[in-house]
Amino acid sequence: MPEELARLRTIAAMVESSDDAIISKTLDGKVLSWNSGAERLYGIPGARAIGRQIDRLFADAGGSSSMSDRLRRVAEGETVRDIEIERRLRDGRTLYVRETLSPILDAYGRIVAAAVITRDITAHAAVELALARERWFMRQVIDTVPSLVYVRDANGRFLIANRAVAETMARTVDEVEGALLADLLPCPEDHERYRRVDEEVLASGRTMVFDDEFRTHGGDSRWFQTVKTPLSGDNGQPLLLGVSTDITARKKLEQHNHALANFDQVTGLPTRALLEDRVAGAIAMARRNSRCVGVVFCDLDRFKRINDTLGHATGDALLRAVGERARTLLRESDTVARLGGDEFVILLSDVTGTSDARQVCTKLLKGMKMPYEVMGHSITVTPSLGLALYPFDGADAVSLIRSADAAMYQAKSSGRANLQCFSNEIDARTKSSHALGCAIEKAVDRDELRLHYQPQISSRAGHVRVVEALLRWQHPEQGLLLPAAFLPLAEDIGVIDAMGDWVLEQACSQAAEWSRRGISNARISVNLSTLQCTRADLVERISQALGNSRLDPSRLEIEVTETLLLRGAGPASAFVHDLKALGVTVAIDDFGTGYSSLSNLTRLPIDRLKIDGTFVQGLGNRDDDEAVVTGIVQMAHALQLTTVAEGVETVQQVRFLRDCGCDDLQGYLICPPLNGDAMNDWLSSRQSTASGIAA
Ligand code: C2E
Ligand code: MG
Ligand code: MG
């Protein structure tokens, strides 16, 4: 068999010349053959290797258990291919090798040995290692970046994603890399939006920067600023690099600032800034559609008093309730804004004209008057409304709101709780009342208040019983103003309490002085409006004024109006009782005009009724008035009250009053209101002549 021999020789030559180590070993690991490639690779000559256990030749053959495992698999007929092994040699070197083991059969087909071909891949492995290190380093870097860093292909598949991406998607990095964006998004409906941006970046080849809201798995939303840049892959395929930075905190701050500027903190209603925007928008619409825009300025009547008596928390809660009430009375498209304090402005965005807008206002007026249940109190407040209409009363938001404000002022001065529409006349009047409002705040401090005095004398003997203090304002430009010109404004602006304090101090010290100088021992009477009577520390203030002037309390009379009686027994009666306890006398002013309940009159310890001047005017020519005056006097006497007639101007009136038993008289006929000095003189001369009245 020379051919067979030749073939074997060829094989042997090939084995010998191979660069790979080619060896054979028995199934229990004894070396049978060892080519020159093995000698070169391991640095061990064949003569030393053949016949030895192979694992003895190396410091570490690459895990002896795995080597016996490999041999076992070969013994079972398997070819174990291309396994990579780290092998440490006895000379200190470490090799990375790739091995293939295959069974060697004898002539009977039995597996008797293993052929092992080993290739040195140490150089290759070093490159791999370096690459792996580089990848690891890259990963470290991108995972450390707090921003989301990712590379996607044109299909939206993630090729690279850092840890921040994985965390945002609530996945692991391994889950994200290789997955499609569409399969990872917490809200799949967002996918279309992202896809469109990706396509645009890839198609344009340009970087895009945008802010975007991302909805997370948890259901909350986060804001990102994203930079998307086109890249090309190693074989030219289009890729997209995205870097998204979380800007949620900044966005929240922006939103907070926006809310601060546009929404009122107390009521949550739009502020002036937002209102002006909306009015401007409504005007633009109305111009196009030839429609009107209504602006209603709404100010709550005497709100300050509620704040002062029930506290700011209740005041705030009431403002919220008022805002909500107004909204329920309006259409969805209308705006209720709060300008501050108790001022609201309502935008009627689309009205056909004045009567349409008036109708809405009437509804508002009615609805807003209904009681509010607030923090355990049932509170009634009335609104004063001013209406202005585009295009008639203003061409832009600011002037329209200003006109509505002017109309509201008019509503205030025509008795509150009503609606006024803007007119030129209102415009002029409001301008002057605005100016008055600014000046009145300073009137007390600038010492511009004055008291005038008017006596009340007994109808029979003509003794001076009471001197009434009447307030005047010496206005720097307008001269001496009567109470009707400024008191309602003083109440609205909230300076009435300071004025009241001034009047009390001044009146008490004047009375004390008259008494000290022996001029008069008459009582001094001080007027209080209903609003003033609701002041919590009023009795305290009165007793302070008495103390400061050292005036005996019995020398002070307080005039209150009938409306106080109408308020029923509660706080009003406490107030009157407290006054009585102080020793002060109490008179009901303008009696007969206020429909007061007689039962209240009997319940309260009142001293005196002042019969209103309008009835006195009618004496001698109106039977009705005569009947009323006689009735009041009789009723008062039955209740042990004294009576005084106001506004007495004629001798005829004096006669009637005296005849019907009216105790005292006051009016121009006896003496008009005079300033302090003039009243001094009048009182002095009165004392010296001790005269009655001509009758
Ligand atoms: P009142 O308390 O009823 O005062 C009487 C008013 O009638 C005074 O008007 C007085 O000048 C006027 N009068 C007096 N005699 C006659 C007369 O013979 N004929 C006519 N036609 N009128 C006469 P005045 O001073 O303008 O005060 C108006 C109201 O202002 C007062 O009415 C009172 O309610 C209020 N008032 C005055 N001073 C004060 C004050 O210090 N505080 C408060 N809260 N109200 C005051
Ligand atoms: Mg009076
Ligand atoms: Mg009066």
Side-chain angles (χ1 to χ4, degrees):
M1 5 203 268
E3 284 155 38
E4 178 67 7
L5 201 63
R7 200 172 69 86
L8 283 174
R9 279 209 184 110
T10 311
I11 292 171
M14 279 166 62
V15 167
E16 259 323 289
S17 63
S18 169
D19 269 347
D20 292 341
I22 301 175
I23 64 167
S24 60
K25 54 187 178 184
T26 60
L27 294 177
D28 56 3
K30 192 187 285 170
V31 176
L32 296 173
S33 67
W34 190 263
N35 73 343
S36 58
E39 288 183 337
R40 277 195 300 278
L41 179 62
Y42 298 128
I44 300 170
R48 229 178 73 213
I50 291 171
R52 306 268 309 271
Q53 277 303 118
I54 186 132
D55 48 0
R56 295 275 174 81
L57 297 174
F58 308 125
D60 178 5
S64 55
S65 66
S66 50
M67 182 182 291
S68 55
D69 178 56
R70 292 195 288 273
L71 281 172
R72 188 184 47 71
R73 284 162 64 191
V74 171
E76 283 166 6
E78 187 186 340
T79 297
V80 181
R81 279 184 205 286
D82 292 334
I83 47 166
E84 289 181 5
I85 302 164
E86 183 183 331
R87 181 161 287 160
R88 285 197 292 120
L89 305 186
R90 291 197 180 276
D91 61 12
R93 284 184 298 145
T94 299
L95 301 178
Y96 292 92
V97 297
R98 185 179 295 133
E99 267 183 11
T100 296
L101 292 86
S102 43
I104 298 173
L105 310 180
D106 67 4
Y108 304 102
R110 288 176 305 202
I111 298 168
V112 290
V116 184
I117 301 173
T118 306
R119 174 161 296 176
D120 183 7
I121 57 164
T122 307
H124 176 73
V127 172
E128 283 275 284
L129 202 69
L131 274 176
R133 281 218 181 97
E134 208 171 294
R135 267 201 296 271
W136 176 84
F137 183 70
M138 278 287 300
R139 171 103 352 247
Q140 287 278 300
V141 172
I142 67 167
D143 279 350
T144 315
V145 175
S147 301
L148 279 59
V149 180
Y150 47 90
V151 175
R152 285 202 289 262
D153 67 11
N155 298 320
R157 191 177 296 283
F158 280 95
L159 305 184
I160 296 172
N162 73 345
R163 189 159 31 198
V165 174
E167 280 167 4
T168 306
M169 303 284 189
R171 308 286 173 111
T172 63
V173 168
D174 286 342
E175 281 168 344
V176 174
E177 288 183 340
L180 288 168
L181 174 66
D183 297 336
L184 294 175
L185 281 176
C187 291
E189 55 272 31
D190 289 343
H191 178 245
E192 186 52 29
R193 194 156 41 96
Y194 292 108
R195 198 185 57 77
R196 244 182 286 124
V197 178
D198 285 11
E199 270 176 9
E200 203 179 324
V201 172
L202 291 176
S204 68
R206 278 205 311 272
T207 295
M208 277 179 67
V209 184
F210 55 94
D211 290 358
D212 182 54
E213 191 177 10
F214 180 84
R215 286 181 291 166
T216 66
H217 276 98
D220 48 29
S221 77
R222 283 163 68 182
W223 278 89
F224 288 97
Q225 182 174 73
T226 297
V227 181
K228 283 188 175 173
T229 310
L231 290 180
S232 72
D234 46 11
N235 45 15
Q237 83 268 35
L239 300 177
L240 180 135
L241 166 68
V243 178
S244 303
T245 306
D246 193 326
I247 53 164
T248 311
R250 195 188 82 199
K251 274 281 170 198
K252 287 228 166 98
L253 189 69
E254 280 171 14
Q255 282 166 351
H256 178 69
N257 287 343
H258 175 82
L260 268 190
N262 289 297
F263 293 95
D264 172 53
Q265 294 303 289
V266 174
T267 58
L269 295 174
T271 56
R272 183 187 282 272
L274 188 54
L275 172 78
E276 284 179 2
D277 274 3
R278 292 199 181 162
V279 174
I283 288 177
M285 281 286 259
R287 195 180 302 130
R288 226 171 331 184
N289 306 327
S290 308
R291 306 275 290 191
C292 294
V293 174
V295 170
V296 186
F297 208 106
C298 164
D299 189 287
L300 302 181
D301 299 328
R302 294 167 175 150
F303 174 75
K304 185 179 179 302
R305 186 48 53 125
I306 290 164
N307 243 356
D308 290 350
T309 51
L310 300 177
H312 283 268
T314 310
D316 286 355
L318 177 65
L319 291 173
R320 278 191 287 276
V322 168
E324 276 158 31
R325 174 81 54 83
R327 287 175 57 149
T328 59
L329 294 165
L330 296 162
R331 286 180 309 191
E332 196 68 37
S333 56
D334 297 335
T335 295
V336 180
R338 178 177 175 234
L339 298 201
D342 56 352
E343 291 180 341
F344 295 84
V345 172
I346 292 147
L347 161 66
L348 309 173
S349 54
D350 179 32
V351 284
T352 48
T354 314
S355 74
D356 188 10
R358 261 179 185 280
Q359 235 169 358
V360 181
C361 290
T362 311
K363 192 169 129 195
L364 268 173
L365 202 57
K366 223 166 114 196
M368 289 174 78
K369 273 188 205 164
M370 304 306 286
Y372 297 88
E373 300 303 323
V374 169
M375 296 178 84
H377 303 279
S378 177
I379 305 175
T380 310
V381 274
T382 53
S384 292
L385 302 183
L387 170 66
L389 275 189
Y390 170 86
F392 314 112
D393 307 325
D396 56 56
V398 172
S399 55
L400 209 52
I401 295 170
R402 199 187 306 125
S403 298
D405 188 8
M408 184 280 291
Y409 250 84
Q410 187 54 37
K412 285 263 174 204
S413 40
S414 26
R416 306 188 177 92
N418 72 105
L419 164 71
Q420 293 290 325
C421 297
F422 182 78
S423 68
N424 289 337
E425 187 194 336
I426 283 181
D427 195 21
R429 230 180 299 164
T430 317
K431 275 184 188 136
S432 78
S433 119
H434 261 298
L436 208 61
C438 298
I440 208 170
E441 293 204 292
K442 301 174 189 120
V444 180
D445 290 340
R446 287 186 180 164
D447 204 18
E448 291 169 355
L449 298 183
R450 305 282 179 270
L451 279 188
H452 280 191
Y453 301 92
Q454 190 180 29
Q456 299 166 17
I457 63 167
S458 72
S459 63
R460 300 222 162 261
H463 300 307
V464 181
R465 302 243 221 218
V466 177
V467 178
E468 181 174 6
L470 294 165
L471 183 59
R472 304 288 180 261
W473 175 16
Q474 186 65 53
H475 189 280
E477 284 135 32
Q478 299 178 29
L480 196 69
L481 298 182
L482 293 176
F486 63 89
L487 276 187
L489 203 60
E491 291 196 341
D492 264 351
I493 287 174
V495 294
I496 186 69
D497 289 342
M499 286 192 166
D501 287 350
W502 182 88
V503 171
L504 273 168
E505 293 287 341
Q506 184 68 20
C508 289
S509 65
Q510 179 65 82
E513 191 196 319
W514 282 330
S515 155
R516 237 186 349 264
R517 291 170 51 192
I519 294 175
S520 165
N521 272 326
R523 292 201 296 277
I524 185 93
S525 81
V526 169
N527 291 281
L528 291 178
S529 68
T530 312
L531 183 69
Q532 283 179 287
C533 291
T534 59
R535 187 175 161 187
D537 63 347
L538 182 59
V539 176
E540 198 181 314
R541 287 295 306 134
I542 292 171
S543 108
Q544 251 171 31
L546 287 167
N548 291 344
S549 60
R550 278 179 288 163
L551 184 70
D552 190 277
S554 66
R555 301 271 317 283
L556 177 64
E557 182 158 295
I558 295 292
E559 293 190 14
V560 296
T561 57
E562 273 181 284
T563 34
L564 191 74
L565 299 184
L566 283 175
R567 295 218 158 173
S573 101
F575 170 61
V576 175
H577 278 101
D578 288 350
L579 282 181
K580 291 302 294 177
L582 258 188
V584 171
T585 56
V586 180
I588 303 294
D589 205 352
D590 307 333
F591 190 79
T593 56
Y595 313 102
S596 52
S597 110
L598 291 178
S599 66
N600 279 339
L601 205 56
T602 56
R603 227 183 342 231
L604 292 176
I606 308 286
D607 298 281
R608 214 161 145 78
L609 293 186
K610 295 189 74 182
I611 303 166
D612 191 69
T614 51
F615 302 113
V616 177
Q617 310 290 293
L619 297 180
N621 46 42
R622 281 181 49 117
D623 292 349
D624 287 359
D625 289 343
E626 291 179 359
V628 169
V629 171
T630 314
I632 292 175
V633 171
Q634 283 172 2
M635 180 192 69
H637 288 169
L639 293 170
Q640 321 255 288
L641 310 177
T642 57
T643 49
V644 51
E646 298 180 320
V648 179
E649 292 177 352
T650 66
V651 175
Q652 239 187 331
Q653 291 162 355
V654 174
R655 243 184 242 132
F656 183 92
L657 289 163
R658 199 185 272 157
D659 290 348
C660 81
C662 180
D663 303 279
D664 298 327
L665 309 171
Q666 179 184 29
Y668 294 158
L669 181 72
I670 297 116
C671 176
L674 300 173
N675 66 28
D677 289 344
M679 186 46 58
N680 260 344
D681 296 347
W682 188 89
L683 286 171
S684 306
S685 70
R686 184 92 194 163
Q687 244 192 4
S688 55
T689 57
S691 66
I693 20 159

